[in-house]
Amino acid sequence: MAWDIHNLFRRHARELAGSLRRRGLSEETAADLTQDTFVRLMGANPKGNQNNPRAYLFKISRNLAIDYHRREQAAPVDHIPDAEFTAIADPRPSAEAALYDKQRLALSDAALAELPERTRRAFELYRLEDLTIAEVAEKIGLSTTRTWALIRDAYRHVRIRLQDL
């Protein structure tokens, strides 16, 4: 026996939604669960409830409400007003900022490639490998004063190149 879902929806949807609201659900959630009730009805094989579709609809909606409350208790969701939701900042940079950063990185790489080998190596050890000036000086075999001068020169060169952007 097939039920006329459209007719059942017209006759019982408002009543189901009201029943769900009385169970403590918001109007939007009650409307969603009412829709879900009819979706479940379309795929259901009612055994023993063929003569009383209204009772079967209420049984489905009650079970959906119970499932909803269980999910809410397991992982509660904080509902925030729309104004607050739209005020949440997106942590990702804008497309323009990302493009600008890529261009700056490319210019920095090119500027470092222009440096003499020892200056570039001192800068990379200091900035990229987080070594101290003394550790860099020991690795490249120079004094700390001379090593700092190389790193300072590298900074200056990169800064000048980035001004072109």
Side-chain angles (χ1 to χ4, degrees):
M1 173 177 167
W3 288 329
D4 180 5
I5 302 294
H6 179 70
N7 189 33
L8 287 173
F9 186 83
R10 275 192 306 114
R11 288 181 27 213
H12 301 295
R14 189 173 300 141
E15 186 181 12
L16 282 172
S19 170
L20 290 167
R21 281 193 305 275
R22 284 189 299 278
R23 290 182 177 274
L25 299 173
S26 69
E27 190 168 336
E28 294 84 18
T29 303
D32 289 343
L33 291 183
T34 299
Q35 296 271 335
D36 291 346
T37 298
F38 284 94
V39 170
R40 290 257 176 111
L41 181 66
M42 288 190 298
N45 184 12
K47 297 175 185 159
N49 291 316
Q50 293 181 352
N51 295 330
N52 194 351
R54 182 178 175 274
Y56 192 59
L57 285 168
F58 275 89
K59 181 179 178 181
I60 293 171
S61 72
R62 180 179 54 91
N63 289 341
L64 287 171
I66 290 169
D67 290 345
Y68 177 81
H69 284 301
R70 284 181 184 155
R71 279 192 309 272
E72 283 292 308
Q73 287 175 350
V77 176
D78 288 335
H79 296 285
I80 59 173
D82 289 340
E84 286 182 37
F85 183 72
T86 55
I88 297 173
D90 186 359
R92 294 177 294 177
S94 67
E96 294 84 8
L99 179 61
Y100 180 73
D101 290 344
K102 284 181 183 179
Q103 290 173 341
R104 286 179 57 90
L105 184 59
L107 278 174
S108 297
D109 284 343
L112 288 174
E114 296 169 353
L115 292 172
E117 177 64 27
R118 193 167 47 174
T119 305
R120 184 184 52 75
R121 181 76 177 130
F123 181 82
E124 289 173 348
L125 289 171
Y126 181 70
R127 287 297 297 170
L128 304 178
E129 295 186 25
D130 288 330
L131 297 180
T132 65
I133 298 288
E135 291 170 332
V136 173
E138 186 179 320
K139 273 204 176 217
I140 61 174
L142 295 174
S143 70
T144 54
T145 305
R146 181 64 187 136
T147 302
W148 177 244
L150 290 176
I151 294 170
R152 185 195 60 221
D153 292 345
Y155 272 119
R156 190 174 292 140
H157 182 73
V158 170
R159 192 175 319 116
I160 289 169
R161 290 309 226 167
L162 288 177
Q163 288 175 353
D164 295 342
L165 185 59

